[in-house]
Amino acid sequence: MKFKLIIILFIISINSNSQNKKLDSLTNIYNLQEDGIEKINTLQNLFNSIKKNDINKAQDYVLEAYKLSKKMNYKEGIYQSSFHLGSVKKKFNELDSSIYYFNIALNTKDKKLKSNTFGGISDAYRLSGNYKPAIDNIEKALSINRELKDSSSIGSSLINLSSIYRNQGNYNLAYIKILDAIKIYENLKGKSLFKADCYKSIGEIEYNRGNYSEAIKNYKTALKTYKKENDDYYHVLTLNRIANSYIFKKNYKNARIYTNKAYKIANEKKFNSIKSVSKFLLGEIDYKEGNYSKAKAEINEVLLDYRKSKNINEIYSSLLLLGKISIETNDFKNANEYLNEGLLIADTIKAPRESQEFYYYKSKLETKRGNYKYAHKYLELYSHLKDSLDIVNNSREIEELKTIFESEKKEKEIAIQKNEIEILKQKEEVSKKQRLLYILGLISLAILGGLLYYGVSQKLKRSKLEREKLDLALDHKKKELTSHALHLAKKNEVLVNLKQKAKELKENNSTNYNQLIQTINFDLQDDNNWENFKKYFEEVHTDFNNNVKNKYPEVTANELRLMALLKMNLTSKEIANILNISNDGIKKARYRLRKKLNLSTEDSLQELVISL
């Protein structure tokens, strides 16, 4: 066990070093780059590299990418950066800002980005308690994902849709959608984080249904993956979810342990919104343990944070807890104000689960005040909402859904096992036949071996000599090709310098400068040099041009030239000299070529060309 732990820690250390090297490499590239599209792409890559572990630094990078894209009027950069900014602001619970940036990103023509943006807008509306636009937007995302046949994104949209139904108190629909998502991810490799999101969502449904042990089990399943994948944000968020479930199990010791873990990491990583949730939970634990004044101070502090970020879900949770504390301390005036404000919010956003809680505590308040008529009225309203939700959320139906899902899962596992047994039987039969053929073959070879040995050995010798000759010829051609390319680069560099000097002669009114410039221009534009280079190149890289034309028929002759020079691993300066264009021209040419080859910001143009 100890040895296994050492191995795991060693692997984690290697992965960490690899990630740090990648980040250092990107940072070095960024520091050397001038403002331009390549720098914007580097900033986006930096954002993606650190968004899990340092969301504040990630925000700085993507904000710089957004400003630079706007300065250059680079549309794709504006839309991509806006999407990332919307995602960051959502994590910070700055929901108005989140929706603002997402709406800018919606102008993109990239369907994948548009789908992700609709999903982001939906989640921001869900967090603000505005469920109708939340459902409208996630349905749009789902429609695009189905059109693109993108299974992973379909699953992600179903997770979001499940969360909205859960917030509305419709656990049946929430369960249907999340089980559909799990079925998708069970058949996809490398989607462990999405599977973790599914189990976290099941945990939240079970928590709302009052099945706290089941909630904790699912949360802990998700937590293992978040820790393994170094997803700090969801790791901390899930620690808080587990703590909340322990509170309702009245296990305040474990609740504090998990809350303090979450608070510590959130504070280190500057996840302010999650830190507020941890502070809220600490206030709730103090309330449960009877430390009312301490709990009230903690929750009032948190409520200020939630009002600033306009996080509706957390605002009415804070108001409800403050109302409960005020009832316990006989502060009836404040209790009434807290509960009335919370009830107004819950009714406005049509959140019946929350409304019923406020009616229940309004009834308790009026009972304590001796207003039994009003207490009865609020209790009736509570009972009516509770009955309505019980009809919608038939527990037996949910249990049936879970049973069907588990049965289907077991049936698949049995089918796989049966298939594996059948394959093993077939392999055994084949193996028996192969052993028999092998024995017969050995006997035959023993007879024929002596006759064939001499002929085969002679043929191998001849083949070896021919291969050596071909290798020598190819090496010679490669040297000629490199020499010719470098000669072209040097020649053009010299001609460009001569042309500059000729212009200086012209400025000094020297004679014969026009004839000199014309001669240089003719030589710079002369295609004979290029034709000679092309001949050498095709002899070395025989199938390159055909491969490019077959795979990318839209590539022009000039772009084919650029790809040939990239294939040779020449520097940008050498390529610029050979093609007689500026360094900026090379950057633009590379950018246009990347677009034509449908390369993303993460893909390497050089690696693609070399592989052709």
Side-chain angles (χ1 to χ4, degrees):
M1 184 69 184
K2 190 174 179 183
F3 179 72
K4 187 177 178 182
L5 181 61
I6 291 167
I7 294 290
I8 292 167
L9 290 171
F10 178 68
I11 291 166
I12 291 168
S13 172
I14 290 171
N15 290 337
S16 177
N17 288 336
S18 174
Q19 287 170 355
N20 289 337
K21 282 179 182 176
K22 182 183 175 184
L23 188 59
D24 289 343
S25 175
L26 284 169
T27 306
N28 290 334
I29 291 167
Y30 160 73
N31 289 331
L32 293 170
Q33 283 176 319
E34 295 179 1
D35 287 355
I37 290 169
E38 293 296 329
K39 187 170 187 176
I40 292 168
N41 292 337
T42 303
L43 285 163
Q44 301 281 16
N45 288 333
L46 280 165
F47 168 82
N48 287 320
S49 296
I50 64 167
K51 64 182 178 183
K52 286 182 186 176
N53 301 313
D54 190 346
I55 195 67
N56 292 282
K57 187 65 178 171
Q59 179 178 228
D60 292 341
Y61 284 131
V62 79
L63 191 57
E64 186 179 348
Y66 174 74
K67 288 176 180 176
L68 186 53
S69 297
K70 283 195 79 174
K71 180 182 171 184
M72 296 176 61
N73 197 28
Y74 173 42
K75 300 292 185 186
E76 287 84 354
I78 293 170
Y79 304 145
Q80 189 69 51
S81 304
S82 296
F83 170 74
H84 288 319
L85 279 169
S87 302
V88 171
K89 296 296 182 186
K90 179 160 67 73
K91 284 189 174 183
F92 288 155
N93 270 322
E94 297 172 19
L95 301 175
D96 287 346
S97 295
S98 175
I99 292 168
Y100 168 79
Y101 283 113
F102 279 139
N103 277 321
I104 294 172
L106 274 183
N107 292 302
T108 183
K109 292 180 181 176
D110 182 331
K111 286 191 174 181
K112 176 72 176 166
L113 179 58
K114 192 179 278 281
S115 155
N116 291 340
T117 305
F118 277 128
I121 292 172
S122 170
D123 207 36
Y125 276 124
R126 178 184 70 83
L127 290 169
S128 65
N130 204 344
Y131 299 127
K132 187 180 184 307
I135 291 174
D136 290 344
N137 279 279
I138 202 60
E139 291 288 2
K140 288 174 185 175
L142 202 49
S143 175
I144 295 172
N145 292 331
R146 283 174 176 149
E147 181 190 336
L148 295 173
K149 297 180 180 176
D150 184 345
S151 297
S152 178
S153 296
I154 290 169
S156 181
S157 298
L158 289 169
I159 293 171
N160 285 353
L161 195 52
S162 172
S163 298
I164 298 166
Y165 287 133
R166 184 191 72 244
N167 283 158
Q168 286 185 310
N170 192 334
Y171 307 135
N172 276 22
L173 274 177
Y175 240 113
I176 289 168
K177 297 304 175 186
I178 204 64
L179 292 180
D180 285 345
I182 290 177
K183 286 174 188 175
I184 288 171
Y185 291 123
E186 288 291 343
N187 296 319
L188 294 176
K189 290 182 180 178
K191 298 294 176 184
S192 56
L193 282 172
F194 287 101
K195 289 180 195 173
D197 291 343
C198 290
Y199 285 109
K200 180 176 73 66
S201 291
I202 291 175
E204 285 162 356
I205 295 168
E206 294 295 359
Y207 165 80
N208 286 318
R209 293 178 66 214
N211 299 331
Y212 304 117
S213 295
E214 192 69 17
I216 290 168
K217 185 181 87 173
N218 282 282
Y219 285 142
K220 286 185 175 179
T221 300
L223 189 68
K224 285 178 187 174
T225 302
Y226 293 138
K227 285 174 75 173
K228 183 181 174 184
E229 298 291 333
N230 297 317
D231 193 331
D232 293 332
Y233 183 85
Y234 281 98
H235 173 202
V236 184
L237 188 146
T238 309
L239 286 170
N240 275 334
R241 296 281 198 272
I242 293 169
N244 204 17
S245 299
Y246 275 124
I247 289 171
F248 280 88
K249 282 174 69 68
K250 299 182 180 179
N251 186 339
Y252 304 129
K253 181 183 176 183
N254 275 350
R256 276 196 191 278
I257 289 169
Y258 278 91
T259 306
N260 286 328
K261 277 184 188 176
Y263 186 89
K264 183 182 176 185
I265 300 170
N267 196 41
E268 286 171 2
K269 300 291 180 181
K270 296 181 180 175
F271 296 154
N272 294 326
S273 60
I274 301 183
K275 191 168 78 171
S276 294
V277 174
S278 299
K279 282 157 68 178
F280 174 88
L281 292 174
L282 289 170
E284 189 161 16
I285 294 167
D286 283 322
Y287 160 71
K288 295 287 186 182
E289 292 182 333
N291 302 321
Y292 299 130
S293 59
K294 187 179 177 185
K296 187 174 183 179
E298 286 166 333
I299 301 304
N300 269 316
E301 185 184 341
V302 171
L303 183 58
L304 286 173
D305 295 338
Y306 289 144
R307 287 195 193 279
K308 285 176 190 173
S309 62
K310 298 182 181 177
N311 189 332
I312 299 296
N313 289 328
E314 304 301 344
I315 288 172
Y316 57 57
S317 295
S318 302
L319 290 168
L320 181 64
L321 185 51
L322 284 168
K324 287 153 73 173
I325 293 167
S326 298
I327 290 170
E328 293 295 333
T329 56
N330 296 322
D331 184 1
F332 300 141
K333 182 175 179 295
N334 278 325
N336 196 46
E337 287 178 4
Y338 291 135
L339 294 174
N340 282 343
E341 185 185 351
L343 186 58
L344 178 64
I345 294 170
D347 285 345
T348 302
I349 65 172
K350 295 181 175 58
R353 179 169 58 88
E354 283 70 26
S355 293
Q356 72 164 355
E357 286 187 287
F358 282 106
Y359 282 130
Y360 176 77
Y361 283 98
K362 285 277 287 180
S363 173
K364 284 195 76 171
L365 171 64
E366 295 305 334
T367 300
K368 248 194 163 185
R369 293 168 82 174
N371 298 329
Y372 302 115
K373 180 182 175 183
Y374 285 109
H376 181 69
K377 173 190 159 188
Y378 290 128
L379 193 60
E380 278 189 331
L381 288 167
Y382 160 75
S383 299
H384 174 71
L385 276 176
K386 187 176 183 301
D387 291 343
S388 300
L389 286 170
D390 286 344
I391 291 167
V392 171
N393 297 304
N394 187 313
S395 293
R396 191 174 69 183
E397 285 181 14
I398 291 177
E399 293 308 318
E400 284 173 2
L401 282 171
K402 289 164 71 176
T403 304
I404 290 166
F405 174 73
E406 290 299 328
S407 300
E408 286 177 354
K409 197 174 176 182
K410 283 187 174 69
E411 283 171 11
K412 279 183 184 176
E413 288 170 0
I414 291 165
I416 289 167
Q417 286 172 353
K418 282 182 179 177
N419 190 44
E420 285 173 351
I421 291 166
E422 192 60 37
I423 289 167
L424 285 170
K425 284 180 181 177
Q426 289 172 7
K427 282 182 178 178
E428 181 62 27
E429 286 297 317
V430 170
S431 180
K432 284 178 183 176
K433 291 175 183 177
Q434 283 176 339
R435 283 198 296 271
L436 180 60
L437 289 170
Y438 181 70
I439 291 164
L440 291 171
L442 283 175
I443 295 167
S444 302
L445 282 172
I447 297 166
L448 294 171
L451 298 171
L452 293 172
Y453 176 74
Y454 179 76
V456 170
S457 64
Q458 290 299 107
K459 191 172 181 181
L460 285 171
K461 282 179 185 177
R462 284 197 299 274
S463 295
K464 186 181 177 184
L465 286 169
E466 284 170 8
R467 275 200 311 274
E468 286 174 354
K469 283 180 184 177
L470 284 171
D471 288 343
L472 283 169
L474 187 59
D475 283 343
H476 179 67
K477 289 289 180 189
K478 283 183 178 176
K479 285 174 184 175
E480 283 184 329
L481 176 60
T482 304
S483 174
H484 195 78
L486 294 174
H487 169 72
L488 269 176
K490 188 66 182 172
K491 183 209 78 167
N492 282 356
E493 187 178 2
V494 170
L495 288 173
V496 168
N497 288 336
L498 281 171
K499 187 175 177 181
Q500 183 60 36
K501 286 180 181 178
K503 286 180 179 176
E504 289 171 8
L505 287 171
K506 179 180 178 181
E507 288 168 5
N508 294 328
N509 295 320
S510 298
T511 57
N512 299 323
Y513 59 82
N514 280 329
Q515 186 178 355
L516 177 59
I517 290 173
Q518 285 171 4
T519 303
I520 292 168
N521 281 336
F522 178 77
D523 206 349
L524 281 169
Q525 294 165 8
D526 182 14
D527 274 346
N528 286 335
N529 287 314
W530 178 259
E531 288 302 319
N532 290 333
F533 169 82
K534 187 179 172 186
K535 186 183 107 187
Y536 283 122
F537 183 84
E538 287 176 350
E539 285 177 3
V540 175
H541 305 287
T542 48
D543 295 323
F544 181 77
N545 287 354
N546 287 333
N547 286 343
V548 173
K549 286 172 184 173
N550 289 335
K551 202 165 184 182
Y552 306 105
E554 294 180 2
V555 168
T556 64
N558 285 338
E559 286 166 341
L560 190 58
R561 286 186 181 191
L562 174 59
M563 290 175 78
L565 296 170
L566 287 170
K567 176 82 173 174
M568 290 186 62
N569 244 338
L570 295 177
T571 66
S572 292
K573 184 181 177 185
E574 287 164 348
I575 294 172
N577 286 332
I578 290 171
L579 297 179
N580 190 30
I581 57 178
S582 66
N583 285 331
D584 284 341
I586 285 291
K587 286 181 183 177
K588 288 175 184 173
R590 285 173 69 109
Y591 171 69
R592 285 193 294 269
L593 182 57
R594 289 177 68 88
K595 284 195 75 174
K596 193 165 280 188
L597 302 184
N598 292 321
L599 293 179
S600 70
T601 54
E602 289 83 13
D603 297 326
S604 167
L605 174 62
Q606 192 87 26
E607 286 177 11
L608 173 70
V609 171
I610 288 170
S611 69
L612 289 169

